[in-house]
Amino acid sequence: EADIYQTPRYLVIGTGKKITLECSQTMGHDKMYWYQQDPGMELHLIHYSYGVNSTEKGDLSSESTVSRIRTEHFPLTLESARPSHTSQYLCASADGFGDSPLHFGNGTRLTVT
Amino acid sequence: AQKITQTQPGMFVQEKEAVTLDCTYDTSDPSYGLFWYKQPSSGEMIFLIYQGSYDQQNATEGRYSLNFQKARKSANLVISASQLGDSAMYFCAMRSNNNAGNMLTFGGGTRLMVKP
């Protein structure tokens, strides 16, 4: 039973459209993350948050933006989608202790045509 | 900077046999944690096992065990008695305990295929 939810699961959209990928968790975790992953490749951190009103950019440069207005919600927005944004986007959360794993959502597979 | 290296892009194993997936890491931090995740074709990331840098014993979780060799900076995953459902991508990841964000750095992954 998932405690972290991502919607939509799949999204096909045309170039230039604005999109928001949703991520919500019910575990009360302060820390949340967005990773980008091309098929069969490693995960790259693009955004993270320590808590409400905190957002930071990750190691991989991304044209997306995030917000954290509520603890449980960490949406990712692309103002103008391009084919280079085609990828899988994985949201995760953690309770902040050193030995705690990241809990991942099922991911959103985005295709920009 | 941290770096995780998984040198086996793909591996085959016969059902019911054991298999070792390699992971080496590089960090200058004295305290860190190592994680393994499984990613089936459906795409979700499933946490398997954790090893802390100061843990005296190798971690085990059911059929999964971690062969941790700190001096060699390796943290290999051993899967015993492979099952067809073990076919998936496997990712090694590291977190430095100096890392206030608690984010993980991932390796490139190994695709494991279990043959019946």
Side-chain angles (χ1 to χ4, degrees), chain A residues 2-8 21-29 31-34 67-68 70-76 90-93 103-106 108:
Chain A
D3 296 318
I4 180 163
Y5 306 92
Q6 288 186 246
T7 57
L21 307 185
E22 300 288 348
C23 177
S24 294
Q25 51 99 1
T26 59
M27 295 171 282
H29 289 165
K31 294 181 171 60
M32 295 189 74
Y33 313 85
W34 278 102
S67 63
R68 190 89 183 277
R70 303 195 316 266
T71 296
E72 62 270 22
H73 195 214
F74 191 41
L76 181 145
L90 288 157
C91 181
S93 70
H103 297 264
F104 282 87
N106 286 338
T108 293

Side-chain angles (χ1 to χ4, degrees), chain B residues 23-45:
Chain B
C23 172
T24 59
Y25 59 91
D26 189 20
T27 181
S28 57
D29 294 317
S31 178
Y32 50 87
L34 295 153
F35 300 78
W36 276 91
Y37 282 83
K38 172 184 178 181
Q39 187 179 44
S41 57
S42 51
E44 71 270 29
M45 294 286 285

